[in-house]
Amino acid sequence: MFKGLSRFSMILLCVNLCCLPLMSATSAANQTNNNQLDKDSVLSEIENRMQDIKTLSAEFKQTKQLSAFDRNLVIKGKMYLKKPHKLAWHVSSPSPYRMVIRENTLYQWDKASGETQTLSLDENPAFTAVAKQMQMWFSGNYKDLLQDYEMEIKEKDPVRLSFSPRAQTMARDLIRRIVITFDKNREYIQQIRIMEKNKDQTNINFSNIEINPSIDSSAWEVEGAEE
Amino acid sequence: MPRNKLPELYIRSYKNSRLIAACSCLLILLSLFGIFQASFDHNLSQLLPQDTEIDRTLQFFAESDFANKVIISLSAKKPHTLSELLREVDSLRQELDKPFIKEVVTGLSDKGFNRDLNDFLLYAPQLLTPSETRDIKEQLNKKSVRQNLQGIYSKMMNPGGSFMLSMHLKDPLGVKTPLFKRLKILSSSMGYQVEIKNGHFVSKDGKHALMIIDTDIPVTDSKGSQKLISYLQEKTRDLPDYLESSIVSGHKHTISNQKIIKSDIKRTLLIAAVGFILLFGFILREARAVLVFIMPSVAIFVALGLMFLYYDTLSYFVLGMGAVVTGIAIDYGIHTYIAARHVQGVENIARIVKPLLSGALTTIGIFAAYYLSTVKAYHQIATFAILSLTLCLAGAVYILPRFFRPGFNPVNKNFLFPDRIAYKYTILSLWCIFLAVSTSMVVQVEFNTDFKALDGTSGEIMQTEKKFDEIWTKNKRDPAILVTSAENREQALQKNEDILEKASSLIGKQNIVSIAAIWPCKETRRENLNAWNKFWQKHEQELRDLLGTCGEEYGFSQNAFQPFFKGLSTGTIEDIGPEQISSIQKLKDRFFLEKKDSFQVLSFFPDKKELVAEMQKITRNSQGTFLVSKREFARQLTTTVASQIKSLAAIAAVLIPLLTILLLRRLSWAALALIPVISGILCVFLAFGILGYSLNAPALFALLVVTGLCIDYGIFNVYAYGKQLPTGTPTAITLSAVSTLIGGGVLLLADHPMFFHVGLTMVSGILAGFLGAIVVIPAIFAMKKENQNA
C-alpha cells in the first residue's frame, strides 16, 4: 500500500518542495534591485542568479489546516539541500521525523514508530521526478516547471506569485493554487501557501535561510538506513 | 490406345487447323476475361499447412489485434532530457489521428491513474476474497489501529503528505492493500518492460519512450499497411532532429516482403527473358526460334488468366513460380522445334509425341501430388503448373511446328559431347564417386520447417526489431496464452476461473497472469461480497470505537474516517461489467476478445515447454479452451510440414518408377531412365550440404519439380537411344536443361529466401539430372553395346 500511496505523496511533495528554492533565488535576484516583475523577466533573472547556489538550509514552520483534524498541525524543523542530488527534511516538532533523498534513494524515518523506509528512485519513477524537479529549480531552468503551472503576479508589494496547475496535470486534481509571498524587502520568501482542492491548506513559513552553507554530513543520515 | 496409333492420331488432329484455331481463340478469350479480375496477395499463411491447431492459432492472431499494433520507440540524443522527449511524445500523439489510427496509448497519465485507482478500490467489497476479508480481524485491536494512525500522522510531517490524506482516510487500516498488488498486472501483462514516468511508458534506463498505436488496418492488408507506415513515417519525420524514432510493426514485414517479392519477380523475369533470347539467338541462330520462348510465355499468361476464373486471388508465390514453370514448359517447344526442322517435319514430331506426352504426364503427376498438401499456395502452384504444362505441350505440338520449315538440322546431335562414349568408364567411375559423396551428404542436411525462414523481411527492419527488443522486451519470449471461450463474458470468466484453479495447482499461481485476479466472475464476486457484508455487520462498530479512541490521541476529528465507513456499502453492485471500470477497461484488449457469437478470456503464462505440456493436459479435457503458444505453434508446423513432405516424397518415389515402367515397358530402360532422377536428388543434397543451408518446405517441393524434369530427360534419352530415333533428342535435352537452368538460375539472384532456395534446388538438381541423362545414360548404352559386341 505504501508504494502505491507514497508515489503520489512524493510527486506532490515535489510540487511543494520545489517552491522552496524560490525564496533564495528571488532573494538573490532582489539584491540587484531588479524591479522588473513580469513573468518572463522574473524567471529569467532567477535563472541567472541560481547558477551559484550549491547548498541551502532554512528553518521552517509548517501549519496544516486539515478538515480531518480537530486542530491545526504545526510542524517545525529544518530543510537542507545540496546540488545536485541531496535533499533533507528534518522535523523536530511535534515528533521527530526525517526524510532524505540521496542520489537514487529515498529514506524516511519517524521516531514514534521507529521504522525506516528505504525506496529506490529507480523503482519508483515518481520519486525520480521529485529529485529531477528539485534539481530543475536549483539549476535555474524553469521552462519545464511552467509547462505544468501557470504563473501569475498577484501583488507587487509585497511580491506574491501564484502558481496554478495547468489542465491535464496530476497536480490539478489535488492543488488549487500555490502562493509564494516575499518579504517587504524582497530578500527572501516569507511564506508558501498551498491550497488544496478539498479546501485543506498548508502554510510554510521560512526563516534563517542560508545560501551555500557548509552542511554537516549527519544532515543526510537517517537512523537505521542501510548505506 | 495401341502404341502405333498415337503418331497417326496426332498427324490427323494436327491437320484439323480450324478446330485448333477455334480452341486457341476460346482459351485466349477466357483467359483475358480472367485477367481483368486478377488480384494477388502475399499472405505468408497461404504457404502454411491447413491444420486445425495451426489454423486456430492463425485465426486467433487474425481476430485479436495483437498483430495489428504498431509500436513507436522514441529516444532523445544527449543533452536533451526525458521531459523534452515526453513533451514530443505528447505532441506526436496529438497529431496521430483517423483514418489510420484508432487509438494511441503513451502511458497511464498520473491524473488518469489516480482516478482509475479510486475507481477500482471502490469495488473492494466484491473484489477482496473471503480470506482477505477475514484477515482484517487481526487488525481490529488498539495496537494495530494506533500503528496505522501513527503512519498516517507521520506522513503529514512531510510537505506533500496531506495530498494523500483523503486516500488514507478511505482506508486507514490498509485493508485494500491486496488490490494494489493485483494491479501490478497492469504492467506485467503489457509484454514490455516499462516504467511509468510522468504518466508515460518509459524504458528502465529512462532514455526511451514507448507509444502503442492501435489501428484497424490488418497486418495482412498490404496496401493499407503501406499507407499506414508512410503516414507514421511522415509524422515521425517532422519530429525535432534530436529525436530518434523507430517503428516496429507486422505491417512493415508485409510491406518489406511484398517489395522484395515484387522486385525479385521483375528481376528474375527480365533476366530469364534475356537469357532465353541469348540462348536461341546464339545457339539456334534463327530469329523464328524465339517462338519457342514466346510459346510458353503465352501459355503461362493464358493459364494465369484461366486460373482467375476459379480463384479470387492468387498468391504472389504462384507468380514467382512463373519463371520455373517457363523453364519446364519450354522443353516441349525445344523438342518439337528440333524435330520439326528435320527433313521429315511433322512426321518426325509424331515420333516424339509419345515420349513428350510421357514426360509431360510424369511431370504433371508430380505436380498433381501437390494437391495432397494442405498448403493452399501449393494447390494454386499445382493448378498453374498443370495448366501451363498442358497448354505448352498442346502449343508445342499443334501450333509451333506450323512456323518452322523442315529440311534443316540446326545443330549437330552430338555437338556437346562428341567423344563421350570414348570415356565411358571414366564417366561411370566419376558418377559412382559422385553418388558416394552425395549420399553421405543426405544425412547431414537438416530440414528446417521454421516458417520464419520464409520471411523475406529486410535486414534493416530485423535490426530495428533487435534493438527494440534489447530496450523493451530484453529478448524475453512472448508468453503463451490460455484462451477460454464461452457464449458470453460471464460464462467465459467463470470457465476461466475454473480452469485457472486447476492450472494453479499444475504450474503454480505465480506463473499465471489473469484478469480473474482483478475482476473475478459474478458468482465469485457475490461470494466475496457476502463475506464482506457478514464481516462488517459484526465488526463495524468495533472499528468505529477503536478509530474514535485512537484517532483522538493524534487529533483526528470524530468524522475523519467517515469515508471508510461509507465505502463499506459502496461498490457493491454486482451487475457491473469490467468495461465500466476504467482501470479494467484499459486491460480489455489484452484480456478479452469479443467475437460475433462468442467471448474469449485470455490468460498468460511463460511459454516454457514443461508449462505448456502441463496446460495442454487441462485444455485437452476442457471444451472451449485452447492454448496459443509460439513454441507449440512452431512444433505443430514442423510436424505437419514434415509429415506432408514425407507423404509427397513417398508418392513421388512410387509414381515416378511406376509411370516410367508403364511408359517405357522395359524394366532395364526404366532403370536407366531413373539415373537423372537419382543424380538430381542427390546433387541437391550435396549443394545444400556444402553451402550449409537447411532444406525448407519450398525447396523440397522444388525438388519434386526437379524429379519430374529429370525423369523427362531420362525417358527422352533412353527412348531416343533405345529406338535410335533421328530426332535430335540429346540436343533438345541440352537446350531444355539450359533453359530450365536459366529459369531456376535467375532465382539464385532473388533476395527473398524462398525464391533463392527454390533456385538452388532447381539449378543443382537439373544440372546433375542433365549430366546423368546426356552423359551417363549414353555411356551405359555404349558399355552395353560393347558387351553385346564382345
Side-chain angles (χ1 to χ4, degrees), chain A residues 84-116:
Chain A
H85 297 305
K86 284 184 179 174
L87 169 76
W89 187 260
H90 294 184
V91 173
S92 52
S93 165
S95 71
Y97 165 89
R98 273 191 181 199
M99 186 201 71
V100 172
I101 295 175
R102 280 196 322 239
E103 304 295 336
N104 282 332
T105 313
L106 181 141
Y107 305 92
Q108 213 171 204
W109 166 87
D110 72 280
K111 194 180 179 182
S113 69
E115 285 177 3
T116 304

mmCIF file of all heavy atoms in Angstrom, chain A residues 84-116:
data_model
loop_
_atom_site.group_PDB
_atom_site.id
_atom_site.type_symbol
_atom_site.label_atom_id
_atom_site.label_comp_id
_atom_site.label_asym_id
_atom_site.label_seq_id
_atom_site.Cartn_x
_atom_site.Cartn_y
_atom_site.Cartn_z
ATOM 1 N N PRO A 84 23.942 18.075 -6.637
ATOM 2 C CA PRO A 84 22.747 18.018 -7.479
ATOM 3 C C PRO A 84 21.677 17.051 -6.956
ATOM 4 O O PRO A 84 20.544 17.121 -7.382
ATOM 5 C CB PRO A 84 23.301 17.491 -8.806
ATOM 6 C CG PRO A 84 24.423 16.603 -8.409
ATOM 7 C CD PRO A 84 24.997 17.171 -7.141
ATOM 8 N N HIS A 85 22.027 16.163 -5.988
ATOM 9 C CA HIS A 85 21.078 15.071 -5.727
ATOM 10 C C HIS A 85 20.702 14.876 -4.260
ATOM 11 O O HIS A 85 20.298 13.779 -3.890
ATOM 12 C CB HIS A 85 21.662 13.743 -6.257
ATOM 13 C CG HIS A 85 21.872 13.716 -7.722
ATOM 14 N ND1 HIS A 85 20.877 13.976 -8.624
ATOM 15 C CD2 HIS A 85 22.990 13.489 -8.463
ATOM 16 C CE1 HIS A 85 21.360 13.907 -9.849
ATOM 17 N NE2 HIS A 85 22.648 13.617 -9.762
ATOM 18 N N LYS A 86 20.890 15.887 -3.396
ATOM 19 C CA LYS A 86 20.578 15.638 -1.983
ATOM 20 C C LYS A 86 19.531 16.612 -1.452
ATOM 21 O O LYS A 86 19.612 17.816 -1.713
ATOM 22 C CB LYS A 86 21.859 15.760 -1.144
ATOM 23 C CG LYS A 86 22.789 14.564 -1.277
ATOM 24 C CD LYS A 86 23.973 14.706 -0.363
ATOM 25 C CE LYS A 86 24.890 13.488 -0.501
ATOM 26 N NZ LYS A 86 26.120 13.659 0.278
ATOM 27 N N LEU A 87 18.606 16.064 -0.688
ATOM 28 C CA LEU A 87 17.566 16.880 -0.063
ATOM 29 C C LEU A 87 17.212 16.248 1.286
ATOM 30 O O LEU A 87 17.055 15.025 1.372
ATOM 31 C CB LEU A 87 16.321 16.902 -0.956
ATOM 32 C CG LEU A 87 15.057 17.489 -0.323
ATOM 33 C CD1 LEU A 87 15.151 19.020 -0.272
ATOM 34 C CD2 LEU A 87 13.825 17.078 -1.100
ATOM 35 N N ALA A 88 17.122 17.076 2.329
ATOM 36 C CA ALA A 88 16.740 16.542 3.649
ATOM 37 C C ALA A 88 15.637 17.406 4.246
ATOM 38 O O ALA A 88 15.651 18.633 4.127
ATOM 39 C CB ALA A 88 17.959 16.523 4.564
ATOM 40 N N TRP A 89 14.680 16.758 4.904
ATOM 41 C CA TRP A 89 13.533 17.450 5.544
ATOM 42 C C TRP A 89 13.486 16.914 6.974
ATOM 43 O O TRP A 89 13.054 15.786 7.202
ATOM 44 C CB TRP A 89 12.263 17.117 4.753
ATOM 45 C CG TRP A 89 11.037 17.872 5.172
ATOM 46 C CD1 TRP A 89 10.041 17.416 5.977
ATOM 47 C CD2 TRP A 89 10.665 19.195 4.801
ATOM 48 N NE1 TRP A 89 9.075 18.356 6.127
ATOM 49 C CE2 TRP A 89 9.424 19.484 5.404
ATOM 50 C CE3 TRP A 89 11.260 20.196 4.019
ATOM 51 C CZ2 TRP A 89 8.772 20.701 5.260
ATOM 52 C CZ3 TRP A 89 10.601 21.402 3.870
ATOM 53 C CH2 TRP A 89 9.372 21.648 4.485
ATOM 54 N N HIS A 90 13.992 17.709 7.917
ATOM 55 C CA HIS A 90 14.095 17.262 9.320
ATOM 56 C C HIS A 90 12.987 17.903 10.143
ATOM 57 O O HIS A 90 12.939 19.125 10.255
ATOM 58 C CB HIS A 90 15.444 17.672 9.928
ATOM 59 C CG HIS A 90 16.608 16.976 9.291
ATOM 60 N ND1 HIS A 90 17.910 17.144 9.741
ATOM 61 C CD2 HIS A 90 16.683 16.126 8.251
ATOM 62 C CE1 HIS A 90 18.717 16.405 8.988
ATOM 63 N NE2 HIS A 90 17.995 15.790 8.074
ATOM 64 N N VAL A 91 12.122 17.102 10.727
ATOM 65 C CA VAL A 91 11.060 17.639 11.594
ATOM 66 C C VAL A 91 11.477 17.403 13.047
ATOM 67 O O VAL A 91 11.853 16.283 13.417
ATOM 68 C CB VAL A 91 9.707 16.940 11.300
ATOM 69 C CG1 VAL A 91 8.636 17.366 12.297
ATOM 70 C CG2 VAL A 91 9.250 17.230 9.872
ATOM 71 N N SER A 92 11.403 18.461 13.818
ATOM 72 C CA SER A 92 11.769 18.315 15.231
ATOM 73 C C SER A 92 10.535 18.301 16.134
ATOM 74 O O SER A 92 10.528 17.708 17.204
ATOM 75 C CB SER A 92 12.701 19.452 15.647
ATOM 76 O OG SER A 92 12.115 20.696 15.301
ATOM 77 N N SER A 93 9.466 18.942 15.674
ATOM 78 C CA SER A 93 8.235 19.030 16.463
ATOM 79 C C SER A 93 7.037 18.875 15.525
ATOM 80 O O SER A 93 7.085 19.373 14.401
ATOM 81 C CB SER A 93 8.211 20.393 17.155
ATOM 82 O OG SER A 93 6.933 20.689 17.647
ATOM 83 N N PRO A 94 5.980 18.152 15.824
ATOM 84 C CA PRO A 94 5.621 17.575 17.144
ATOM 85 C C PRO A 94 6.372 16.285 17.490
ATOM 86 O O PRO A 94 6.531 15.987 18.676
ATOM 87 C CB PRO A 94 4.135 17.273 16.980
ATOM 88 C CG PRO A 94 3.947 17.056 15.530
ATOM 89 C CD PRO A 94 4.897 17.957 14.843
ATOM 90 N N SER A 95 6.835 15.550 16.496
ATOM 91 C CA SER A 95 7.638 14.371 16.813
ATOM 92 C C SER A 95 8.692 14.211 15.729
ATOM 93 O O SER A 95 8.431 14.533 14.560
ATOM 94 C CB SER A 95 6.764 13.115 16.919
ATOM 95 O OG SER A 95 6.311 12.741 15.660
ATOM 96 N N PRO A 96 9.878 13.791 16.139
ATOM 97 C CA PRO A 96 10.971 13.722 15.162
ATOM 98 C C PRO A 96 10.641 12.853 13.939
ATOM 99 O O PRO A 96 10.082 11.765 14.083
ATOM 100 C CB PRO A 96 12.121 13.126 15.971
ATOM 101 C CG PRO A 96 11.801 13.473 17.374
ATOM 102 C CD PRO A 96 10.319 13.414 17.495
ATOM 103 N N TYR A 97 10.982 13.416 12.812
ATOM 104 C CA TYR A 97 10.726 12.728 11.533
ATOM 105 C C TYR A 97 11.801 13.199 10.558
ATOM 106 O O TYR A 97 12.208 14.355 10.576
ATOM 107 C CB TYR A 97 9.329 13.113 11.010
ATOM 108 C CG TYR A 97 9.078 12.771 9.549
ATOM 109 C CD1 TYR A 97 8.569 11.532 9.174
ATOM 110 C CD2 TYR A 97 9.345 13.708 8.536
ATOM 111 C CE1 TYR A 97 8.330 11.231 7.831
ATOM 112 C CE2 TYR A 97 9.115 13.409 7.187
ATOM 113 C CZ TYR A 97 8.605 12.168 6.848
ATOM 114 O OH TYR A 97 8.374 11.870 5.526
ATOM 115 N N ARG A 98 12.260 12.296 9.722
ATOM 116 C CA ARG A 98 13.259 12.679 8.726
ATOM 117 C C ARG A 98 12.924 12.069 7.373
ATOM 118 O O ARG A 98 12.542 10.902 7.298
ATOM 119 C CB ARG A 98 14.652 12.179 9.107
ATOM 120 C CG ARG A 98 15.394 13.125 10.003
ATOM 121 C CD ARG A 98 16.848 12.718 10.131
ATOM 122 N NE ARG A 98 17.489 13.658 11.037
ATOM 123 C CZ ARG A 98 18.787 13.855 11.124
ATOM 124 N NH1 ARG A 98 19.600 13.137 10.358
ATOM 125 N NH2 ARG A 98 19.290 14.719 11.971
ATOM 126 N N MET A 99 13.101 12.894 6.372
ATOM 127 C CA MET A 99 13.015 12.365 5.004
ATOM 128 C C MET A 99 14.258 12.860 4.259
ATOM 129 O O MET A 99 14.545 14.061 4.262
ATOM 130 C CB MET A 99 11.761 12.869 4.301
ATOM 131 C CG MET A 99 11.581 12.224 2.935
ATOM 132 S SD MET A 99 10.509 13.165 1.848
ATOM 133 C CE MET A 99 11.514 14.559 1.470
ATOM 134 N N VAL A 100 15.007 11.943 3.682
ATOM 135 C CA VAL A 100 16.237 12.315 2.974
ATOM 136 C C VAL A 100 16.239 11.654 1.591
ATOM 137 O O VAL A 100 15.945 10.463 1.465
ATOM 138 C CB VAL A 100 17.489 11.861 3.773
ATOM 139 C CG1 VAL A 100 18.764 12.063 2.951
ATOM 140 C CG2 VAL A 100 17.583 12.622 5.092
ATOM 141 N N ILE A 101 16.564 12.468 0.593
ATOM 142 C CA ILE A 101 16.754 11.887 -0.756
ATOM 143 C C ILE A 101 18.246 12.013 -1.072
ATOM 144 O O ILE A 101 18.808 13.117 -1.031
ATOM 145 C CB ILE A 101 15.925 12.638 -1.821
ATOM 146 C CG1 ILE A 101 14.432 12.476 -1.554
ATOM 147 C CG2 ILE A 101 16.261 12.110 -3.224
ATOM 148 C CD1 ILE A 101 13.532 13.282 -2.483
ATOM 149 N N ARG A 102 18.864 10.872 -1.292
ATOM 150 C CA ARG A 102 20.296 10.849 -1.638
ATOM 151 C C ARG A 102 20.474 10.079 -2.930
ATOM 152 O O ARG A 102 20.079 8.914 -3.018
ATOM 153 C CB ARG A 102 21.092 10.148 -0.531
ATOM 154 C CG ARG A 102 21.370 11.010 0.655
ATOM 155 C CD ARG A 102 22.462 10.418 1.533
ATOM 156 N NE ARG A 102 22.458 9.001 1.677
ATOM 157 C CZ ARG A 102 22.350 8.368 2.853
ATOM 158 N NH1 ARG A 102 22.204 9.070 3.972
ATOM 159 N NH2 ARG A 102 22.392 7.070 2.916
ATOM 160 N N GLU A 103 21.056 10.723 -3.896
ATOM 161 C CA GLU A 103 21.267 10.094 -5.206
ATOM 162 C C GLU A 103 19.950 9.453 -5.679
ATOM 163 O O GLU A 103 18.999 10.154 -5.880
ATOM 164 C CB GLU A 103 22.386 9.033 -5.124
ATOM 165 C CG GLU A 103 23.710 9.561 -4.592
ATOM 166 C CD GLU A 103 24.355 10.594 -5.499
ATOM 167 O OE1 GLU A 103 24.080 10.599 -6.697
ATOM 168 O OE2 GLU A 103 25.124 11.426 -4.979
ATOM 169 N N ASN A 104 19.932 8.154 -5.770
ATOM 170 C CA ASN A 104 18.739 7.485 -6.302
ATOM 171 C C ASN A 104 17.884 6.828 -5.221
ATOM 172 O O ASN A 104 17.061 5.974 -5.523
ATOM 173 C CB ASN A 104 19.143 6.407 -7.314
ATOM 174 C CG ASN A 104 19.510 7.018 -8.644
ATOM 175 O OD1 ASN A 104 19.015 8.086 -9.003
ATOM 176 N ND2 ASN A 104 20.403 6.362 -9.351
ATOM 177 N N THR A 105 18.111 7.218 -3.954
ATOM 178 C CA THR A 105 17.394 6.540 -2.875
ATOM 179 C C THR A 105 16.682 7.542 -1.952
ATOM 180 O O THR A 105 17.211 8.618 -1.669
ATOM 181 C CB THR A 105 18.375 5.691 -2.051
ATOM 182 O OG1 THR A 105 19.184 4.932 -2.962
ATOM 183 C CG2 THR A 105 17.661 4.727 -1.129
ATOM 184 N N LEU A 106 15.509 7.155 -1.508
ATOM 185 C CA LEU A 106 14.763 7.978 -0.555
ATOM 186 C C LEU A 106 14.651 7.214 0.769
ATOM 187 O O LEU A 106 14.323 6.020 0.779
ATOM 188 C CB LEU A 106 13.366 8.269 -1.101
ATOM 189 C CG LEU A 106 12.488 9.139 -0.208
ATOM 190 C CD1 LEU A 106 11.678 10.120 -1.057
ATOM 191 C CD2 LEU A 106 11.520 8.315 0.635
ATOM 192 N N TYR A 107 14.972 7.921 1.870
ATOM 193 C CA TYR A 107 14.891 7.323 3.212
ATOM 194 C C TYR A 107 13.852 8.111 4.001
ATOM 195 O O TYR A 107 13.799 9.332 3.937
ATOM 196 C CB TYR A 107 16.236 7.410 3.932
ATOM 197 C CG TYR A 107 17.374 6.805 3.145
ATOM 198 C CD1 TYR A 107 18.141 7.601 2.290
ATOM 199 C CD2 TYR A 107 17.694 5.458 3.262
ATOM 200 C CE1 TYR A 107 19.183 7.067 1.556
ATOM 201 C CE2 TYR A 107 18.743 4.911 2.525
ATOM 202 C CZ TYR A 107 19.486 5.719 1.674
ATOM 203 O OH TYR A 107 20.515 5.193 0.945
ATOM 204 N N GLN A 108 13.078 7.392 4.798
ATOM 205 C CA GLN A 108 12.045 8.031 5.602
ATOM 206 C C GLN A 108 12.038 7.375 6.984
ATOM 207 O O GLN A 108 12.047 6.135 7.074
ATOM 208 C CB GLN A 108 10.697 7.818 4.900
ATOM 209 C CG GLN A 108 9.746 8.959 5.086
ATOM 210 C CD GLN A 108 8.509 8.803 4.206
ATOM 211 O OE1 GLN A 108 7.866 9.767 3.887
ATOM 212 N NE2 GLN A 108 8.162 7.604 3.823
ATOM 213 N N TRP A 109 12.042 8.198 8.026
ATOM 214 C CA TRP A 109 12.086 7.629 9.379
ATOM 215 C C TRP A 109 11.225 8.481 10.297
ATOM 216 O O TRP A 109 11.183 9.709 10.144
ATOM 217 C CB TRP A 109 13.547 7.608 9.872
ATOM 218 C CG TRP A 109 13.714 7.363 11.343
ATOM 219 C CD1 TRP A 109 13.788 6.157 11.957
ATOM 220 C CD2 TRP A 109 13.828 8.356 12.369
ATOM 221 N NE1 TRP A 109 13.943 6.318 13.310
ATOM 222 C CE2 TRP A 109 13.969 7.667 13.585
ATOM 223 C CE3 TRP A 109 13.825 9.751 12.376
ATOM 224 C CZ2 TRP A 109 14.100 8.332 14.818
ATOM 225 C CZ3 TRP A 109 13.963 10.412 13.592
ATOM 226 C CH2 TRP A 109 14.096 9.693 14.798
ATOM 227 N N ASP A 110 10.492 7.849 11.203
ATOM 228 C CA ASP A 110 9.828 8.633 12.251
ATOM 229 C C ASP A 110 10.047 7.962 13.594
ATOM 230 O O ASP A 110 10.098 6.725 13.688
ATOM 231 C CB ASP A 110 8.340 8.843 11.937
ATOM 232 C CG ASP A 110 7.522 7.588 12.094
ATOM 233 O OD1 ASP A 110 7.541 6.754 11.165
ATOM 234 O OD2 ASP A 110 6.867 7.446 13.135
ATOM 235 N N LYS A 111 10.221 8.802 14.599
ATOM 236 C CA LYS A 111 10.631 8.291 15.901
ATOM 237 C C LYS A 111 9.525 7.467 16.558
ATOM 238 O O LYS A 111 9.796 6.448 17.207
ATOM 239 C CB LYS A 111 11.026 9.452 16.814
ATOM 240 C CG LYS A 111 11.776 8.986 18.062
ATOM 241 C CD LYS A 111 12.153 10.128 18.944
ATOM 242 C CE LYS A 111 12.885 9.589 20.182
ATOM 243 N NZ LYS A 111 13.236 10.673 21.107
ATOM 244 N N ALA A 112 8.277 7.910 16.361
ATOM 245 C CA ALA A 112 7.161 7.239 17.044
ATOM 246 C C ALA A 112 7.082 5.759 16.676
ATOM 247 O O ALA A 112 6.897 4.909 17.547
ATOM 248 C CB ALA A 112 5.856 7.942 16.684
ATOM 249 N N SER A 113 7.242 5.461 15.418
ATOM 250 C CA SER A 113 7.184 4.047 15.025
ATOM 251 C C SER A 113 8.575 3.417 15.058
ATOM 252 O O SER A 113 8.710 2.201 15.149
ATOM 253 C CB SER A 113 6.595 3.903 13.627
ATOM 254 O OG SER A 113 7.496 4.408 12.667
ATOM 255 N N GLY A 114 9.581 4.265 14.928
ATOM 256 C CA GLY A 114 10.959 3.781 14.898
ATOM 257 C C GLY A 114 11.302 3.087 13.588
ATOM 258 O O GLY A 114 12.365 2.501 13.427
ATOM 259 N N GLU A 115 10.407 3.171 12.655
ATOM 260 C CA GLU A 115 10.628 2.457 11.387
ATOM 261 C C GLU A 115 11.320 3.342 10.347
ATOM 262 O O GLU A 115 11.069 4.549 10.290
ATOM 263 C CB GLU A 115 9.281 1.993 10.810
ATOM 264 C CG GLU A 115 8.717 0.801 11.561
ATOM 265 C CD GLU A 115 7.355 0.388 11.025
ATOM 266 O OE1 GLU A 115 6.883 0.984 10.041
ATOM 267 O OE2 GLU A 115 6.760 -0.537 11.616
ATOM 268 N N THR A 116 12.160 2.705 9.561
ATOM 269 C CA THR A 116 12.832 3.416 8.468
ATOM 270 C C THR A 116 12.437 2.750 7.156
ATOM 271 O O THR A 116 12.437 1.531 7.054
ATOM 272 C CB THR A 116 14.367 3.340 8.623
ATOM 273 O OG1 THR A 116 14.703 3.867 9.901
ATOM 274 C CG2 THR A 116 15.072 4.131 7.534
#
